[in-house]
């Protein structure tokens, strides 16, 4: 038995919970292939992970609501705050844009005019549609925009030494940019664009030069008020490797102020530097945010579990033997399910939430995934399989309980970590198991987040939100354990159960050369699949009498909508 207490103080009456992109106003809480036993054979046991979700203010907090099961107990104690309505969001890497016909190292072009893709993304709305990545700093906006930018990025004219080293280049045409804006409008998503932070700086001189907003004037004019968010810096410390020259926090603050002044709408949200604790020292990130706090609206961070683990104190901050995400999917799965590895997301989120609170800014996770795509081809058969869905469901719970307002998954389409499969025509728009988690979370879980205290078996996570559009609350239960878990729930009339399992087990034989996303089954029915038009099957829960116990199968994800609760949380 392992005990876990995961609670945060409920927000004060006037405390900021987060900002909506459209208004910047603060939101107040609203009324098997392989098996886990097999891949973890001989591994050391780790701590039991437990979470939270659904917001209740101090004035409406009720007596604890307890759950006691055959193997564990859980208590819902009160509110932690709330997430944004667009909590479940997504990133698209700029290398997925056809600014050149084919990138030599990252060939994942996406057709944003596809009706099927639009249909699949509408199911995730409202959401942030964020385009960011290393290649954002290597794309020019030189031709067609009025006025155009200079210089033009090409294979003969890289915009920085970083771009040249990565062979990242390309020029964004106005027609493609309009396609992206239209995609956001058609899908009901908020468009966030990462502006080029280099624009040739560092190639001209190794000394700092202020960011020239004139290079982006035409693009910003074309975007207008449709640009809901803008960012400039990512994965950048004082050394400025992606710029080609050293840069101080004060100089970054100056550049962010220049960008903010150039934005076409005062409602466009300004993001701070997008760093990850694993690759950029946290004290450096904090100093950048402290210097730029008057020019930004959102504290943002990215997270990849393999990067976070390799930088852990137990690894002495070394990159050696850092390939935790392997070509062998069973090895990757073993890394992904280990509680100590997943707990690094708690540590990272806590740091940025504390930073945001110190600055009075909401916090968003922009680009989160269990594995990077480096080395290309690693992670396949795990991240795009059922174990990837288990990780993602647990991560959605963990991040919300820490107070992060948005979780933008890396990525929508592209590489191993896409919510939608890609690379081959056959599977280009095939949902990965994580997509079904995102859809059900969006449909069932409201923005209000509940605190949870638990005592129970290792390998089981529990979270709860006030239900979306209904009274009561919804539990999100993630069973990494190799055995079924049976629970006695609080007294209630009925409940609706949505249990996700896979006939594949945890992993598949998916590879970079032959990707095939894992299969997902809802409530023991047929394998979930979408039509050629991107239409989803019925995702109906099964109605269960409240007098019966709940069994969460081994290696399963369960959304449980609690209805007619006898002694519930009145804030829901």
């Amino acid at each position: 038995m392992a005990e876990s207490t995961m609670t945060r103080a409920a927000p004060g009456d006037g405390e900021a919970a987060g900002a909506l992109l459209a208004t910047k106003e603060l939101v107040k809480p609203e009324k098997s292939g392989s098996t886990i036993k097999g891949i973890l054979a001989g591994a050391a046991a780790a701590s039991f992970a437990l979470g939270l979700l659904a917001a209740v203010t101090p004035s409406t907090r009720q007596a604890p609501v307890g759950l006691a099961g055959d193997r564990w107990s859980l208590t819902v104690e009160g509110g932690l705050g709330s997430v944004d309505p667009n909590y479940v969001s997504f990133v698209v890497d700029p290398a997925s844009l056809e600014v050149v016909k084919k990138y030599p190292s990252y060939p994942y072009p996406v057709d944003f005019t596809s009706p099927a893709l639009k249909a699949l993304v509408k199911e995730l709305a409202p959401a942030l549609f964020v385009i960011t990545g290393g290649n954002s700093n290597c794309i020019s906006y030189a031709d067609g925009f009025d006025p155009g930018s200079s210089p033009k990025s090409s294979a003969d004219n890289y915009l920085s030494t970083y771009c040249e080293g990565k062979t990242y280049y390309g020029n964004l045409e106005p027609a493609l940019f309009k396609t992206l804006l239209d995609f956001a409008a058609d899908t009901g998503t908020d468009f966030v664009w990462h502006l080029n932070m280099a624009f040739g700086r560092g190639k001209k001189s190794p000394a700092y030069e202020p960011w020239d907003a004139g290079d982006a004037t035409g693009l910003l004019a074309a975007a207008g008020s449709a640009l809901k968010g803008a960012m400039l810096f990512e994965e950048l410390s004082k050394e400025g490797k992606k710029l080609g020259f050293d840069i101080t926090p004060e100089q970054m603050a100056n550049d962010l102020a220049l960008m903010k002044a150039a934005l076409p709408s005062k409602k466009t949200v300004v993001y701070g530097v997008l760093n990850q604790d694993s690759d950029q020292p946290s004290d450096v990130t904090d100093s950048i945010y402290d210097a730029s706090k008057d020019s930004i609206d959102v504290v943002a961070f990215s997270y990849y579990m393999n990067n976070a683990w390799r930088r852990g104190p137990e690894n002495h901050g070394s990159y050696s033997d850092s390939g935790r995400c392997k070509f062998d999917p069973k090895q990757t799965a073993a890394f992904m399910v280990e509680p100590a590895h997943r707990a690094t997301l708690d540590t990272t989120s806590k740091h940025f939430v504390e930073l945001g609170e110190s600055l009075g800014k909401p916090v968003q996770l922009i680009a989160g995934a269990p594995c990077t795509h480096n080395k290309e081809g690693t992670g396949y058969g795990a991240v795009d399989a059922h174990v990837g869905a288990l990780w993602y469901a647990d991560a959605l719970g963990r991040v919300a309980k820490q107070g992060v307002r948005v979780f933008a998954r890396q990525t929508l389409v592209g590489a191993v970590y896409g919510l939608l499969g890609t690379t081959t025509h056959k599977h280009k728009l095939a949902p990965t198991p994580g997509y079904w988690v995102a859809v059900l979370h969006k449909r069932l879980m409201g923005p209000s987040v509940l605190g949870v205290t638990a005592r129970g078996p290792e390998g089981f996570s529990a979270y709860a939100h006030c239900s979306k559009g209904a009274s009561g609350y919804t539990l999100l239960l993630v069973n990494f354990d190799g055995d079924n878990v049976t629970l006695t729930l609080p007294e209630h009339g009925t409940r609706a159960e949505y249990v996700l399992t896979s006939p594949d087990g945890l992993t598949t034989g998916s590879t970079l050369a032959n990707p095939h996303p894992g299969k997902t089954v809802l409530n023991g029915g047929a394998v979930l699949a979408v039509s050629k038009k991107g239409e989803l099957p019925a995702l109906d829960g099964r109605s269960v009498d409240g007098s019966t116990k709940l069994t969460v199968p081994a290696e399963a994800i369960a959304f449980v909508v609690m209805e007619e609760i006898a002694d519930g949380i009145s804030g829901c």
Side-chain angles (χ1 to χ4, degrees):
M1 276 296 202
E3 185 171 10
S4 173
T5 302
M6 302 259 185
T7 58
R8 277 177 82 239
D13 292 338
E15 181 179 341
L20 283 174
L21 280 180
T23 62
K24 300 185 186 177
E25 294 179 356
L26 298 176
V27 180
K28 297 181 180 179
E30 296 179 355
K31 261 195 153 165
S32 18
S34 52
T35 64
I36 287 176
K37 280 190 173 181
I39 63 176
L40 291 182
S47 61
F48 167 60
L50 205 289
L52 53 86
L53 318 191
V56 180
T57 61
S59 61
T60 61
R61 180 175 292 185
Q62 304 298 299
V65 178
L67 296 87
D70 293 348
R71 296 189 58 191
W72 70 300
S73 61
L74 180 150
T75 302
V76 180
E77 295 183 317
L80 294 169
S82 63
V83 296
D84 284 1
N86 50 21
Y87 176 68
V88 177
S89 291
F90 58 86
V91 168
V92 170
D93 194 288
S96 294
L97 307 180
E98 291 193 90
V99 292
V100 296
K101 288 299 180 183
K102 183 178 180 181
Y103 281 102
S105 59
Y106 194 42
Y108 299 110
V110 178
D111 179 8
F112 289 97
T113 67
S114 165
L117 178 60
K118 290 181 180 180
L120 290 167
V121 171
K122 282 180 182 179
E123 295 290 343
L124 303 178
L128 302 187
F129 165 29
V130 185
I131 295 187
T132 182
N135 200 38
S136 294
N137 310 303
C138 304
I139 298 173
S140 60
Y141 327 130
D143 293 335
F145 290 103
D146 185 19
S149 69
S150 181
K152 184 176 181 179
S153 172
S154 70
D156 298 320
N157 185 37
Y158 290 100
L159 295 187
S160 71
T161 53
Y162 164 79
C163 301
E164 186 170 7
K166 292 286 188 178
T167 63
Y168 286 166
Y169 62 92
N171 185 68
L172 179 69
E173 300 289 342
L176 176 55
F177 191 63
K178 184 178 185 302
T179 296
L180 300 175
L181 296 173
D182 290 344
F183 181 85
D186 292 344
T187 56
T189 56
D190 286 341
F191 185 62
V192 180
W193 180 259
H194 178 159
L195 288 156
N196 192 321
M197 68 179 176
F199 277 141
R201 295 192 293 174
K203 292 280 281 187
K204 304 173 185 176
S205 167
Y208 167 77
E209 297 177 10
W211 185 75
D212 187 355
D215 290 337
T217 300
L219 178 138
L220 293 174
S225 60
L227 183 65
K228 302 301 183 182
M231 58 180 62
L232 188 62
F233 294 120
E234 57 94 29
E235 297 182 0
L236 197 65
S237 58
K238 295 177 181 178
E239 290 76 20
K241 292 181 180 179
K242 289 189 176 183
L243 283 170
F245 55 87
D246 292 348
I247 187 168
T248 68
E250 290 72 24
Q251 289 166 342
M252 291 188 211
N254 181 61
D255 286 353
L256 285 164
L258 292 171
M259 183 191 75
K260 182 174 183 177
L263 293 175
S265 171
K266 292 183 179 180
K267 292 185 177 180
T268 301
V269 169
V270 176
Y271 284 77
V273 61
L274 183 63
N275 279 354
Q276 51 180 309
D277 277 358
S278 55
D279 288 8
Q280 290 78 40
S282 58
D283 59 335
V284 173
T285 298
D286 291 355
S287 66
I288 294 170
Y289 270 100
D290 186 63
S292 58
K293 60 187 177 183
D294 293 334
S295 297
I296 65 163
D297 303 302
V298 173
V299 171
F301 69 101
S302 58
Y303 170 87
Y304 303 94
M305 190 169 73
N306 59 326
N307 286 356
W309 180 252
R310 71 186 180 188
R311 280 303 200 186
E314 63 274 41
N315 296 326
H316 308 290
S318 173
Y319 278 86
S320 62
D321 193 30
S322 63
R324 299 285 175 165
C325 296
K326 304 285 189 177
F327 289 99
D328 183 343
K330 292 183 181 180
Q331 290 181 321
T332 302
F335 170 67
M336 290 171 62
V337 303
E338 176 62 41
H341 300 166
R342 291 183 283 116
T344 60
L345 182 52
D346 296 334
T347 304
T348 301
S349 298
K350 183 178 179 181
H351 162 230
F352 282 96
V353 168
E354 290 176 347
L355 174 60
E357 289 174 345
S358 72
L359 302 175
K361 311 288 184 183
V363 179
Q364 297 181 6
L365 169 51
I366 302 296
C371 301
T372 62
H373 65 91
N374 186 25
K375 299 177 177 178
E376 193 69 61
T378 56
Y380 279 90
V383 180
D384 59 348
H386 186 62
V387 69
L390 289 167
W391 181 91
Y392 182 39
D394 181 63
L396 285 170
R398 286 176 180 271
V399 170
K401 81 183 179 189
Q402 293 295 342
V404 177
R405 298 303 307 257
V406 169
F407 186 153
R409 175 62 188 258
Q410 176 81 348
T411 60
L412 174 66
V413 186
V416 65
Y417 37 43
L419 291 175
L420 301 173
T422 187
T423 300
T424 67
H425 291 295
K426 184 177 180 181
H427 302 291
K428 190 171 185 180
L429 290 178
T432 65
Y435 176 80
W436 304 111
V437 172
V439 170
L440 288 177
H441 195 291
K442 182 69 69 171
R443 291 185 181 185
L444 302 176
M445 306 195 79
S448 297
V449 181
L450 288 175
V452 176
T453 300
R455 180 180 178 87
E458 296 166 352
F460 197 97
S461 298
Y463 309 92
H465 282 218
C466 286
S467 296
K468 186 173 182 178
S471 60
Y473 54 83
T474 297
L475 301 171
L476 169 56
L477 309 174
V478 188
N479 188 9
F480 289 93
D481 201 69
D483 295 319
N484 296 349
V485 173
T486 300
L487 313 171
T488 300
L489 300 177
E491 184 180 349
H492 60 287
T494 59
R495 64 180 181 268
E497 298 177 0
Y498 303 76
V499 180
L500 300 176
T501 56
S502 176
D504 298 328
L506 291 179
T507 61
T508 70
S510 178
T511 64
L512 174 64
N514 182 29
H516 46 279
K519 299 180 180 68
T520 301
V521 166
L522 174 63
N523 291 333
V527 172
L528 297 176
V530 300
S531 72
K532 292 182 179 180
K533 295 181 179 180
E535 298 164 326
L536 270 59
L539 298 175
D540 299 325
R542 61 188 174 206
S543 182
V544 180
D545 186 88
S547 63
T548 61
K549 293 182 178 181
L550 168 68
T551 295
V552 183
E555 301 165 2
I557 301 158
F559 292 87
V560 183
V561 182
M562 304 287 287
E563 302 167 353
E564 305 168 32
I565 301 172
D567 186 20
I569 302 296
S570 65
C572 289

